[in-house]
Amino acid sequence: MEALVAILGTLLIAAGWLWLRDRRRLEGRLTETERAVLELRGRLRESEAWRDAAELAFSAMPIGLVLFDAAGRPALTNRAAEALLGRVGALDALVPLALREAVLATAADRRPRNVELELGAPTRTVRTDVVPAGTDQVLIALRDMTETRRLEAVRRDFVANASHELKTPVASILAAAETLRTVAAEDPAALPRFAEQLEREAVRLSRIVSDLLDLSRLETGGDTERGPVRLEQVAREEVDRARAAAEEAGLALSLEAEPGPAVLGSARDLALMVRNLVDNAIRYTRPGGRVEVRVRPEDGEVVLTVADTGIGIPGRDLDRIFERFYRVDRARSRETGGTGLGLSIVRHVVENHGGAVRVQSELGRGSTFEVRLPALAEGDPTP
Ligand code: ADP
């Protein structure tokens, strides 16, 4: 018995010594930082708060995640995944089929793959990455790309539309230049006519380019120089500027501006907004008509209205006239020097100033555009 105790004691001491030696060797290899990280990880693993935080992050993640185990069961599923796929059950029943096939293929060859899917109603475009996880699991990551794809389509359409709009005047300029060259020798009397055409189209081209530049500036927030602006002052300047055009068009142009609070914004962009509305009112109103501009304070807002007795806008087009390049009557817009971008510019300026724009119109009777901008209250901070 005594001998047994002695043997066991020796063994224990030897094991302890070996364990200590290994530990020391291991510790010797770890840097200070590694040791700190290991210690922290150990502590975090034990802490419930850490588990809660990880769970919360997993479930709140905007990317949908599903982890299938080796038996094809969903070991983990988060909220975003269920929003796109519905309740996720066994892999055998996973729809759409293209996704199930991708998961099965990745489970077999352990290679990542991705599929783009159209899911649900209304349809969402979903990019799905299927990646091998651990030794025998497969992880699906689902990303909703609907908005990204929509923006890509908008950008593509815009480039196509802008190129088309620019091509027309460029083609006319080329044609006029060519005619000028051939006509110059044969019929000098016709020269002014072609020179005028050349000039007109060049002006149109420069107007489109200038509107496009304004629009692109406004789309990224507009003028950064902001301060208190008196809209009635801006309206007065723009109405004065438009007087000659109104007279030429045989219209009565009037302004009624009540003094009121300022708005916080860019004087330059707000002038652009008023100018586009007033120019449109003049361009789409027949001789003998009226254009009335009003600025008044109302319920913590500054309200600008531009009313005309012009041709009006058909009801079905009212929702679309603020879109880029949208025109009710392409020929009329062209004739009067329109670019199709004016109201798009107006909408962006209004949005950049936290306001709203509305239009009321009756075909053959006239239109009223109303812009409401938040008034700057006394004591509001200004940049
Ligand atoms: P455009 O340069 O063609 O005038 P806008 O973006 O300024 O482009 O306006 C879009 C379209 O809305 C115009 O082509 C026109 O059909 C319609 N529109 C705008 N303002 C008026 C108005 N005051 N009266 C009638 N139609 C208007």
Side-chain angles (χ1 to χ4, degrees), residues 201 245 264 272 286 296 368 382:
E201 295 299 332
L264 180 61
L272 202 58
R286 298 205 173 90
R296 62 177 203 281
T368 301
T382 57

Side-chain angles (χ1 to χ4, degrees), residues 280 283-284 308 312-313 321 326-328 333 338-340 342-343 367:
N280 275 354
R283 287 175 32 229
Y284 296 106
D308 63 54
I313 303 160
I321 52 172
Y326 190 86
R327 291 114 155 171
V328 177
S333 159
T339 62
L343 287 181
S367 315

Side-chain angles (χ1 to χ4, degrees), residues 12-25:
L12 262 176
I13 290 167
W17 179 80
L18 278 174
W19 178 76
L20 263 179
R21 195 193 59 177
D22 278 358
R23 214 182 122 101
R24 258 196 229 117
R25 199 187 288 156

Side-chain angles (χ1 to χ4, degrees), residues 211 276-277 280-285 308 310-313 321-323 325-329 333-334 336-344 361 366-367 369:
D211 275 4
N276 274 294
L277 289 173
N280 275 354
I282 294 174
R283 287 175 32 229
Y284 296 106
T285 304
D308 63 54
I311 60 171
I313 303 160
I321 52 172
F322 291 92
E323 289 173 19
F325 296 122
Y326 190 86
R327 291 114 155 171
V328 177
D329 179 348
S333 159
R334 246 187 79 108
T336 54
T339 62
L341 295 171
L343 287 181
S344 198
S361 188
S367 315
F369 286 81

Side-chain angles (χ1 to χ4, degrees), residues 53-270:
E55 234 160 72
L56 195 70
F58 179 75
S59 70
M61 224 178 247
I63 297 179
L65 293 170
V66 183
L67 182 70
F68 280 107
D69 64 16
R73 281 182 306 245
L76 281 173
T77 313
N78 73 351
R79 237 184 288 153
E82 290 196 334
L84 293 167
L85 292 171
R87 266 197 75 78
V88 181
L91 180 56
D92 301 345
L94 183 68
V95 275
L97 186 62
L99 183 56
R100 192 193 315 163
E101 284 172 353
V103 176
L104 287 169
T106 295
D109 66 10
R110 311 305 296 157
R111 288 227 189 99
R113 31 178 66 71
N114 64 65
V115 220
E116 188 148 316
L117 303 166
E118 300 289 327
L119 294 176
T123 316
R124 323 277 320 156
T125 306
V126 180
R127 184 195 149 93
T128 313
D129 286 286
V130 182
V131 288
T135 47
D136 49 11
Q137 297 167 317
V138 177
L139 180 73
I140 308 179
L142 304 124
R143 243 164 302 189
D144 190 338
M145 304 296 283
T146 316
E147 188 56 14
T148 314
R149 295 285 182 266
R150 191 187 67 79
L151 289 176
E152 283 168 2
V154 167
R155 200 173 313 135
R156 256 196 322 270
D157 281 359
F158 177 64
V159 171
N161 283 337
S163 320
H164 178 76
E165 297 286 338
L166 291 171
K167 245 168 81 182
T168 322
V170 168
S172 304
I173 288 172
L174 285 175
E178 164 108 32
T179 321
L180 267 183
R181 191 156 47 79
T182 48
V183 157
E186 298 158 14
D187 183 8
L191 280 182
R193 191 154 48 89
F194 291 108
E196 255 169 45
Q197 186 189 339
L198 200 65
E199 202 180 324
R200 203 171 46 241
E201 295 299 332
V203 166
R204 192 160 153 236
L205 194 63
S206 99
R207 216 178 268 151
I208 298 176
V209 171
S210 147
D211 275 4
L212 279 173
L213 288 174
D214 277 330
L215 201 57
S216 111
R217 191 175 55 77
L218 290 166
E219 272 175 340
T220 47
D223 206 350
T224 45
E225 226 170 87
R226 288 177 167 229
V229 180
R230 308 214 78 91
L231 203 55
E232 67 270 21
Q233 184 63 35
V234 174
R236 185 160 294 122
E237 282 164 20
E238 288 309 316
V239 166
D240 284 343
R241 196 194 54 85
R243 273 201 203 291
E247 225 162 87
E248 201 178 314
L251 304 174
L253 174 63
S254 67
L255 171 74
E256 198 181 303
E258 288 174 38
V263 297
L264 180 61
S266 145
R268 173 184 166 200
D269 289 352
L270 290 167

